[in-house]
């Protein structure tokens, strides 16, 4: 088993195609039995020592929230 899945991502895809990216990540982690995700943003310097992966997850879920039109309620939950 390869415990690391490496992924090159264009930042604009996080906004334009968040559902597809989530599906890709899910498939590869299950298929590859990977438990660690290393992200590399295209055309940007940086080595993922944890920070880029966290940024990817955060921006991915922001993209999902926008694309799926979730609304935040006063209690902090989304629907």
């Amino acid at each position: 088993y390869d415990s690391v899945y490496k992924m090159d991502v264009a930042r604009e895809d996080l906004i334009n195609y968040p559902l597809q990216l989530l599906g890709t990540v899910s498939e590869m982690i299950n298929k590859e039995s990977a438990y660690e995700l290393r992200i590399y943003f295209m055309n940007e310097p940086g080595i993922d020592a944890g920070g880029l992966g966290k940024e990817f997850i955060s921006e991915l879920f922001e993209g999902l929230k926008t694309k799926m039109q979730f609304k935040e309620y006063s209690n902090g939950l989304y629907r």
Side-chain angles (χ1 to χ4, degrees):
Y1 295 109
D2 184 12
S3 61
V4 178
Y5 177 64
K6 297 173 186 166
M7 187 172 181
D8 293 317
V9 179
R11 276 195 194 269
E12 57 270 11
D13 288 351
L14 291 166
I15 296 165
N16 297 322
Y17 307 108
L19 289 170
Q20 291 86 338
L21 281 173
L22 183 61
T24 299
V25 169
S26 178
E27 281 180 30
M28 292 311 296
I29 287 174
N30 287 328
K31 184 172 146 184
E32 304 283 333
S33 298
Y35 66 87
E36 184 179 340
L37 179 63
R38 290 240 174 96
I39 297 298
Y40 299 94
F41 289 109
M42 293 178 172
N43 303 314
E44 293 183 30
I47 297 172
D48 189 2
L52 295 178
K54 289 177 185 175
E55 187 175 348
F56 167 78
I57 295 296
S58 178
E59 289 186 26
L60 175 65
F61 280 93
E62 281 299 316
L64 287 167
K65 197 168 67 174
T66 300
K67 193 64 113 177
M68 298 177 75
Q69 301 177 356
F70 284 116
K71 293 182 175 106
E72 185 175 7
Y73 288 84
S74 60
N75 62 3
L77 297 177
Y78 291 87
R79 288 191 176 164

